[in-house]
Amino acid sequence: MSSLEFLNLSGDNFSGLLLPRFSNSLKLRYVYLSRNKLQGPSAMKFYDSFEILALDLSHNDLTSRIPEWIDRLSNLRFLLLSYNNLEGKIPIQLCKFDQLTLIDLSHNYLSGNILSCMIFTHPFPIQYNSHDFVSLSQQFFEFTMKNLSLFNRGNIIWNFTGIDVLCNNFTGEIPREIESLSMIKVLNHSHNILTGPILPTFSNLKEIKSLDLSYNKLDGKIPS
């Protein structure tokens, strides 16, 4: 399958461990394996698949930590790992991404601080080539906002930006770098153990559609 570009095996009944060596395809760009029964630590290694733009492993039974090989996917724009049993801290390797527009780590057992370097302080990228638009017109992903599942298809995906770490065990304060994400649309940090104040500069988030910081240990004044 050296020419494979799209792989969608979502919503099937696959079980067992993810294969150690996933694909030799240099063209693989979109990988959807959500809503299966995949188990165990992720031993997958995308040795030669540097062009992957979307990786969806949500709604499985993956355990252990977010794998360190994730930094091989340097062009990744959409990372969906929600509804698994991942634990430990967010790997520093996530800080190497500079094109990530959507990250969903919700409903796991992740802990530690939310990495400030994972929250990009530059505008989300909007320059894509014609091949990307043609390819993405065939794509979709599911993203849950306030317990409502949103199915985003086609070119609308390019305009969807969000960070979801709902229902984990994150501690510390909300990263101040978030205030620079003027184009973000969804931000969900609820059901963690975050402390400190709500940043007054949250008013800079002009495009925000859903902001959920509930069920933490935040204090101070609610910014106007």
Side-chain angles (χ1 to χ4, degrees), residues 98-109:
D98 60 2
Q99 300 189 65
L100 202 62
T101 61
L102 174 67
I103 182 168
D104 187 354
L105 304 177
S106 64
H107 295 277
N108 282 288
Y109 299 96

Side-chain angles (χ1 to χ4, degrees), residues 102-147:
L102 174 67
I103 182 168
D104 187 354
L105 304 177
S106 64
H107 295 277
N108 282 288
Y109 299 96
L110 298 168
S111 58
N113 294 331
I114 299 174
L115 295 181
S116 60
C117 59
M118 185 185 72
I119 313 298
F120 301 110
T121 56
H122 55 72
F124 282 103
I126 57 175
Q127 299 296 325
Y128 305 106
N129 59 45
S130 58
H131 179 267
D132 287 337
F133 277 107
V134 173
S135 299
L136 203 57
S137 66
Q138 306 173 42
Q139 303 308 305
F140 74 94
F141 63 74
E142 178 185 0
F143 187 76
T144 301
M145 179 175 67
K146 296 297 291 181
N147 297 319

Side-chain angles (χ1 to χ4, degrees), residues 200-212:
T201 48
F202 266 39
S203 58
N204 295 336
L205 306 181
K206 302 299 184 182
E207 298 294 324
I208 197 77
K209 303 297 182 184
S210 177
L211 173 63
D212 192 346

Side-chain angles (χ1 to χ4, degrees), residues 137-216:
S137 66
Q138 306 173 42
Q139 303 308 305
F140 74 94
F141 63 74
E142 178 185 0
F143 187 76
T144 301
M145 179 175 67
K146 296 297 291 181
N147 297 319
L148 174 65
S149 291
L150 305 176
F151 290 88
N152 299 275
R153 296 179 179 274
N155 290 344
I156 191 174
I157 295 177
W158 294 114
N159 298 315
F160 197 90
T161 54
I163 299 167
D164 191 347
V165 295
L166 161 72
C167 287
N168 279 284
N169 297 312
F170 289 116
T171 56
E173 296 188 354
I174 300 172
R176 292 190 173 274
E177 286 79 2
I178 287 179
E179 65 192 35
S180 301
L181 299 179
S182 59
M183 300 301 293
I184 198 168
K185 290 180 169 58
V186 175
L187 185 64
N188 193 341
H189 285 12
S190 66
H191 292 271
N192 282 284
I193 319 172
L194 300 176
T195 56
I198 299 176
L199 303 175
T201 48
F202 266 39
S203 58
N204 295 336
L205 306 181
K206 302 299 184 182
E207 298 294 324
I208 197 77
K209 303 297 182 184
S210 177
L211 173 63
D212 192 346
L213 304 175
S214 62
Y215 296 97
N216 281 286

